Amino acid sequence: MNSYRVLRNTVLTMLAASTVIGSAAIGRAEDISTAESVGLTEEVGTAEGVGLTEEVGTAEGVGLSEEVGTAEESETTEGIRQAEESAASAARSSARRIHRAVWFTRARPKVRAVAGTSRSRNKAIAFRLVSRRSWSQNQFQCLDSLWTRESNWDHEAHNPSSGAYGIPQALPGSKMSGMGVDWRSNPITQIHWGLRYIKSRYGSPCGAWGHFRSSNWY
């Protein structure tokens, strides 16, 4: 009887110990599982936090880049606009200066300059007509010397003492009417008459010029 009781107590003690050990193991397992869950949660939270931080940083970087780019474009546009305004202002200022120079000039037309242009034109006409007669350039030089002394190539030249008129100083001037009714104002008519007169009387301009130098008339 005593042996049976001892055996039962031993068995009960072993069962109790097994229960305690099992409970402890279960508790440890639960603690480990809980710790792992907590760790995993913290890691996941940390990872999500890091990802969120990176996304926010990237978004802020992109926003900042866009703002910088927009600011640079604005500055460039403003610089171009200012340059265009400066150029336009300079052009207006230059135009105003030119305008003042034109309106406030003290220059006056000179009759001598107009007459000089007319004489040059008359010489050019005579040169062409001399060339048509196949006379040399030397012949034109004699003609130039002759008519420069006579009238200075002025088709309105008039000698009040003798009545001679025009570039060839025809005497009287009405002799030239046979070449045209406009003999008083048309240098071409006067030159045609003068060359015909020189050809018929002296043979050439140099012949007429030689006579003029010896007699002071032709």
Side-chain angles (χ1 to χ4, degrees):
M1 185 66 178
N2 291 332
S3 298
Y4 175 76
R5 183 178 297 173
V6 172
L7 180 61
R8 188 186 60 181
N9 290 336
T10 301
V11 172
L12 291 174
T13 300
M14 292 177 63
L15 290 174
S18 299
T19 301
V20 171
I21 292 172
S23 298
I26 292 172
R28 178 61 178 174
E30 290 178 352
D31 290 341
I32 292 172
S33 177
T34 301
E36 290 177 351
S37 299
V38 172
L40 180 60
T41 301
E42 289 178 352
E43 290 178 359
V44 171
T46 301
E48 291 178 350
V50 171
L52 180 61
T53 302
E54 291 178 350
E55 291 178 358
V56 171
T58 302
E60 290 179 349
V62 172
L64 180 59
S65 299
E66 292 177 351
E67 290 178 359
V68 171
T70 304
E72 290 178 350
E73 291 178 357
S74 299
E75 291 178 357
T76 302
T77 303
E78 181 66 17
I80 294 173
R81 185 184 63 80
Q82 291 178 357
E84 290 176 349
E85 290 179 354
S86 299
S89 177
R92 288 193 298 270
S93 178
S94 177
R96 285 195 295 271
R97 287 197 297 272
I98 294 173
H99 186 268
R100 286 197 298 273
V102 170
W103 285 102
F104 291 95
T105 181
R106 295 183 179 180
R108 294 290 183 271
K110 294 182 179 180
V111 176
R112 181 179 297 177
V114 175
T117 302
S118 176
R119 288 193 292 270
S120 298
R121 183 175 62 250
N122 294 341
K123 281 187 181 183
I125 294 170
F127 181 81
R128 289 196 299 271
L129 295 178
V130 166
S131 299
R132 288 179 185 178
R133 290 178 176 266
S134 298
W135 283 338
S136 66
Q137 185 175 355
N138 186 51
Q139 292 294 331
F140 175 77
Q141 291 174 351
C142 290
L143 181 68
D144 186 14
S145 299
L146 176 64
W147 283 354
T148 296
R149 289 289 299 275
E150 285 288 329
S151 63
N152 199 23
W153 291 91
D154 183 3
H155 61 277
E156 294 180 342
H158 177 251
N159 189 332
S161 61
S162 65
Y165 187 84
I167 295 172
Q169 285 292 282
L171 182 63
S174 58
K175 286 183 177 181
M176 295 184 290
S177 62
M179 293 299 298
V181 295
D182 58 351
W183 60 272
R184 291 182 180 275
S185 59
N186 192 340
I188 298 177
T189 300
Q190 296 179 8
I191 293 170
H192 271 297
W193 182 89
L195 293 179
R196 178 175 293 184
Y197 171 78
I198 289 172
K199 174 67 176 178
S200 64
R201 182 141 185 176
Y202 301 102
S204 67
C206 286
W209 173 236
H211 185 274
F212 181 89
R213 286 188 294 175
S214 62
S215 304
N216 204 32
W217 61 276
Y218 79 107

